[in-house]
Amino acid sequence: MKERFKKKDNFNSKMILTQLFSLLCTYYSGLIVVCLFLDFAVGLQFHLGQVWDFGIYNYDTYFSVNLLSNIFNILVVVSGLIFIVVKGSKVLDFIFSLYLWHFIICCILSTSEFNKMWLIMNTILSILTIFLGEYLCVRFDQQDTLIIDRLFKNKKKPIAEHKRNDDIIKINIQ
């Protein structure tokens, strides 16, 4: 009875830490590139406070740029999830860890005080990332399964044909 509830999932801490680190790199590189692009398009000067400062949503000039860059960065993070994490069941864990590490890094590097607006915005962004990430990871996982199923399902059973007195007799081989 005890072995029935035993999980046979191999826990590989090195792989999980590598996946989390690569997801963090994907998150920050995507956020910095999108912020640079949007700042250039709007005519603002980029600074790292746009990434690691709690008070960035208080400034009217940078609010829309940061909001748009974080929304566009969701697509970067989700594409990273599809290729790095792969499984839809692990998306919640990795996104929670990603935003927890982002919060810790912001606590260390931020020059302004903790802001409720920052917390609200990042909570909404993390929820959107989780929903979109789980949906797309499950879709890509099912797509692979469907392709494999189609390969085996569309194969017809071989048919042996025999000619006898100008009649064709088909025999299904099993």
Side-chain angles (χ1 to χ4, degrees):
M1 184 81 169
K2 207 176 203 182
E3 299 199 14
R4 179 177 167 201
F5 298 106
K6 230 182 205 184
K7 232 179 182 181
K8 294 183 180 179
D9 192 18
N10 294 334
F11 181 77
N12 190 350
S13 61
K14 288 181 184 178
M15 186 178 76
I16 291 172
L17 289 174
T18 305
Q19 286 174 328
L20 183 61
F21 180 73
S22 57
L23 196 60
L24 273 167
C25 290
T26 303
Y27 174 76
Y28 285 126
S29 61
L31 189 59
I32 289 171
V33 167
V34 172
C35 278
L36 279 169
F37 178 75
L38 288 177
D39 283 342
F40 180 74
V42 176
L44 296 172
Q45 185 171 353
F46 175 75
H47 58 90
L48 288 177
Q50 287 179 272
V51 179
W52 291 300
D53 196 10
F54 286 131
I56 199 62
Y57 291 112
N58 291 339
Y59 308 119
D60 292 334
T61 54
Y62 286 102
F63 179 80
S64 59
V65 171
N66 282 338
L67 184 61
L68 282 175
S69 63
N70 278 306
I71 289 172
F72 288 139
N73 195 37
I74 288 175
L75 301 174
V76 175
V77 171
V78 167
S79 64
L81 282 170
I82 291 170
F83 292 109
I84 296 169
V85 176
V86 178
K87 291 197 175 226
S89 61
K90 295 181 179 182
V91 169
L92 177 65
D93 302 331
F94 277 96
I95 295 299
F96 179 75
S97 300
L98 173 77
Y99 278 94
L100 179 68
W101 277 105
H102 180 60
F103 175 71
I104 292 169
I105 292 170
C106 285
C107 286
I108 294 169
L109 298 177
S110 181
T111 57
S112 58
E113 294 181 15
F114 180 72
N115 191 352
K116 289 181 184 176
M117 186 64 164
W118 184 90
L119 183 65
I120 291 169
M121 296 303 291
N122 278 305
T123 303
I124 292 170
L125 290 167
S126 66
I127 290 171
L128 289 173
T129 307
I130 288 168
F131 283 141
L132 188 63
E134 282 194 13
Y135 174 74
L136 289 178
C137 282
V138 167
R139 274 296 270 201
F140 275 93
D141 193 31
Q142 286 178 351
Q143 185 179 12
D144 292 342
T145 306
L146 289 175
I147 290 172
I148 292 170
D149 284 346
R150 287 181 189 157
L151 287 175
F152 291 112
K153 198 178 226 182
N154 286 337
K155 283 190 174 179
K156 295 180 180 177
K157 294 179 183 175
I159 297 176
E161 294 183 359
H162 299 285
K163 284 189 176 182
R164 183 172 44 175
N165 297 335
D166 294 329
D167 293 332
I168 296 177
I169 302 171
K170 294 184 179 180
I171 303 169
N172 286 333
I173 300 173
Q174 293 182 9

